[in-house]
Amino acid sequence: MPRSKRRSTDMNSTDDDRHTSKRLRNSNGSRRFSRVEEIPSFSQKRCLAWFREYTNPDDPDMLGPDGMEKFCEDIGVEPENVVMLVLAYKMQARQMGFFTQEEWLKGLTDLQCDVIQKLQTKLEYLRSHLNDQNLFKAIYRYAFDFARDKDQRSMDIETAKAMLQLLLGKHWALYSQFSQFLDQSKYKVINKDQWCNILEFSRTICNDLSNYDVDGAWPVMLDEFVEWLKASRSKAAIS
């Protein structure tokens, strides 16, 4: 009897020890999990130090083309990816290929990003801006001033075609025809009025041009595009 009682006490003690050990393991695991999941709050100082990784000591307040290439590599995005244009829009950057310290801090403070990993988690959010019609229009209009040479009021045709491909290439069914039209046209530059109207045309005019009003207030460039496209389609139908 006594021996059996002692054995029973030992068994209870062992069970208690097991439960205590399990609770400790779970508690330690929870603490470890919390430490892994914890994300430091945004720090402007850390954000600025990140900016300095891409600048030249001779010009520490300007991130230029070389730094931009390294920055894109670090976040895993090609420089010509449209998400970089959206990021530039968030910063309200004034010149393609460059970010000033002020622009960097403005955009990344808004996004609450001060390290590579945080910005990588925001890339899909930035892309989602393109799905909002009003935001897309604002980004499209911003792109004109962002991409043009600052000593020119218009955008050269090659830059314009590249930006149109980036912004409208996948969404406007007539983009390839419009690009062909520009290739054979007399136009060497595109002004802001033409640029803005191209977007409105792409959004409102049917692919068969049935709702295009020749007496409407479209720029001459678009009147000429419609004439060219109709003629091209007629030739294709005959042949």
Side-chain angles (χ1 to χ4, degrees):
M1 287 280 292
R3 189 178 301 166
S4 175
K5 187 175 182 181
R6 281 198 303 274
R7 205 180 295 124
S8 175
T9 302
D10 290 343
M11 287 175 65
N12 289 338
S13 175
T14 302
D15 287 344
D16 289 344
D17 289 344
R18 280 201 203 99
H19 290 313
T20 301
S21 176
K22 185 176 181 181
R23 282 196 301 273
L24 285 171
R25 284 199 304 273
N26 288 341
S27 175
N28 290 337
S30 297
R31 283 198 294 272
R32 283 197 300 272
F33 182 75
S34 296
R35 284 198 295 271
V36 169
E37 290 297 310
E38 185 178 345
I39 299 174
S41 59
F42 176 82
S43 162
Q44 191 171 80
K45 182 179 179 180
R46 188 162 50 241
C47 188
L48 185 56
W50 184 24
F51 176 77
R52 293 276 188 261
E53 292 179 21
Y54 306 113
T55 61
N56 189 307
D58 296 331
D59 193 4
D61 296 337
M62 177 67 77
L63 189 162
D66 291 340
M68 190 69 73
E69 186 175 345
K70 185 177 186 304
F71 171 61
C72 289
E73 182 180 336
D74 285 351
I75 64 173
V77 173
E78 293 294 325
E80 62 272 14
N81 192 302
V82 69
V83 78
M84 290 302 297
L85 176 62
V86 182
L87 179 59
Y89 167 77
K90 295 292 285 186
M91 294 185 183
Q92 286 297 291
R94 291 180 287 275
Q95 186 176 3
M96 189 160 56
F98 296 85
F99 292 147
T100 66
Q101 176 181 303
E102 179 185 0
E103 291 163 353
W104 174 278
L105 288 175
K106 177 188 184 304
L108 294 184
T109 299
D110 182 52
L111 291 168
Q112 291 290 283
C113 295
D114 51 16
V115 291
I116 292 168
Q117 293 79 3
K118 286 184 183 179
L119 183 54
Q120 287 173 325
T121 66
K122 292 293 181 78
L123 293 178
E124 283 307 313
Y125 164 72
L126 290 172
R127 288 190 183 95
S128 73
H129 284 38
L130 301 170
N131 300 324
D132 181 296
Q133 281 214 349
N134 292 328
L135 274 175
F136 182 87
K137 185 174 183 178
I139 292 166
Y140 179 91
R141 286 173 172 260
Y142 161 80
F144 181 86
D145 290 318
F146 177 63
R148 69 178 172 84
D149 288 335
K150 296 304 172 277
D151 58 347
Q152 302 291 329
R153 297 185 65 182
S154 298
M155 189 191 300
D156 73 84
I157 203 70
E158 291 306 316
T159 301
K161 283 169 57 182
M163 296 303 290
L164 288 170
Q165 169 68 52
L166 190 66
L167 289 160
L168 299 181
K170 294 181 180 179
H171 309 290
W172 184 24
L174 297 180
Y175 169 75
S176 60
Q177 290 96 323
F178 186 69
S179 181
Q180 291 170 31
F181 162 74
L182 291 178
D183 285 340
Q184 58 82 55
S185 75
K186 63 181 183 294
Y187 293 100
K188 304 301 180 188
V189 296
I190 287 181
N191 63 40
K192 193 160 190 176
D193 180 62
Q194 292 166 335
W195 176 262
C196 294
N197 273 281
I198 290 168
L199 176 62
E200 293 309 308
F201 185 100
S202 73
R203 285 181 165 183
T204 59
I205 301 303
C206 299
N207 296 338
D208 63 4
L209 307 176
S210 58
N211 63 337
Y212 187 80
D213 181 2
V214 293
D215 296 320
W218 297 105
V220 172
M221 171 189 278
L222 290 171
D223 288 331
E224 292 175 349
F225 168 59
V226 169
E227 291 175 9
W228 175 87
L229 185 55
K230 286 179 176 178
S232 297
R233 286 174 172 176
S234 295
K235 288 178 184 176
I238 293 171
S239 62

